Amino acid sequence: MNPAIIIIDMLEGNYGSTRTDEKEEEKIVPHVKVFLKECRGISIPVIFACDSFLKDDFIFKGRMRPHAIRGTKGAQPLSDLDPQATDIVLEKRRFSAFFKTDLDQTLRTMGIDTVAIGGINTHFCVLATAFDAVCHDFYTIILEDMSAAFKKEIHNNFLNAYRNSAIYPIFRVMTSEEFLNEFKQQPQK
C-alpha cells in the first residue's frame, strides 16, 4: 500500500470563527489535526480537496448557499488543521475531488495506489470522491472517524451501507487507527 490522505472540504468558510465544538463537523477537527501530523511524520502525503466555486456558480441555483468562493479565505483549508507547505491544496468545483481536476494525474505521478479519505460531508463529497477513486482504479478507504455529516445518524447510515460492499476490499470503511496499523505493518520498501 502506497497511500495518500485526502481531506475533503474542511475549509475556513465551512467552519467559521464562532465554533462550539458541538456540531458533528466540528468534533472531528482536533482528531483530524493529530492524524494528519502523524501521517506527515511517516511520509504519507496529505491533500486538501477544497470547494472553490465561482461567485455565480451553477451549484448555487439549488438550496446550497454561496460559500467557498474562489480566491477568498473561505475556500482555504481550515487553519486549525495546520496545513503544511508540503501538503497539496486542490481546488474543486463539484462534489468529487476527481471531477475535472488533475487529482488522478497527481496521485499517479506520486506512485499512489491507495487513497484514504476524510472530511465533510460523508454522504456527499466524501462519498463522491471515494466512488470516483474506485472508478479511477485506486484502492479506497473512507476513514470513518475522520469524516462527519451534520447528523451522526446520516454519517453512520451511509458508512454502514458500504462496510460490506460487493467491491470489498478495493473499497473499505475503517478507522484511522486501523488504517495506520495496516500501513505500519506492511513490509518497508
Side-chain angles (χ1 to χ4, degrees), residues 1-188:
M1 170 178 19
N2 189 24
I5 306 302
I6 304 174
I7 298 299
I8 307 291
D9 295 335
M10 293 187 74
L11 308 176
E12 291 292 338
N14 287 340
Y15 284 86
S17 58
T18 55
R19 294 199 303 265
T20 62
D21 294 329
E22 294 175 11
K23 294 179 181 177
E24 293 300 316
E25 302 96 321
E26 295 171 347
K27 291 177 184 177
I28 65 169
V29 171
H31 308 291
V32 172
K33 179 180 181 176
V34 170
F35 173 71
L36 294 180
K37 183 176 182 181
E38 185 167 358
C39 288
R40 290 179 191 112
I42 54 177
S43 299
I44 298 175
V46 172
I47 299 168
F48 290 100
C50 304
D51 279 345
S52 179
F53 301 116
L54 300 179
K55 189 179 91 173
D56 296 320
D57 205 299
F58 175 79
I59 206 81
F60 301 137
K61 293 187 185 302
R63 291 183 179 173
M64 187 181 299
R65 65 172 176 75
H67 70 285
I69 305 301
R70 185 166 290 177
T72 68
K73 184 178 178 184
Q76 296 299 312
L78 189 62
S79 61
D80 295 35
L81 300 180
D82 196 24
Q84 300 293 304
T86 55
D87 297 339
I88 295 171
V89 177
L90 174 82
E91 292 181 335
K92 66 184 186 72
R93 292 269 309 274
R94 294 298 181 259
F95 307 121
S96 171
F98 285 92
F99 185 73
K100 296 186 178 182
T101 70
D102 68 352
L103 181 57
D104 178 55
Q105 182 179 8
T106 299
L107 294 170
R108 292 189 193 290
T109 298
M110 297 166 71
I112 301 300
D113 62 9
T114 303
V115 293
I117 304 167
I120 61 171
N121 277 304
T122 310
H123 60 298
F124 262 97
C125 297
V126 171
L127 190 60
T129 299
F131 282 152
D132 275 359
V134 171
C135 291
H136 283 84
D137 297 335
F138 291 99
Y139 290 96
T140 303
I141 299 161
I142 294 181
L143 299 166
E144 63 183 297
D145 56 331
M146 298 293 122
S147 304
F150 65 96
K151 288 187 177 180
K152 185 79 168 168
E153 311 84 70
I154 292 172
H155 171 79
N156 288 335
N157 289 340
F158 271 81
L159 292 181
N160 287 337
Y162 297 104
R163 286 189 197 284
N164 297 305
S165 75
I167 56 174
Y168 179 90
I170 63 173
F171 181 84
R172 298 186 284 166
V173 175
M174 58 190 345
T175 66
S176 57
E177 183 178 5
E178 291 167 335
F179 166 76
L180 288 172
N181 286 341
E182 185 174 305
F183 177 77
K184 291 173 183 177
Q185 290 174 6
Q186 71 183 355
Q188 298 302 310

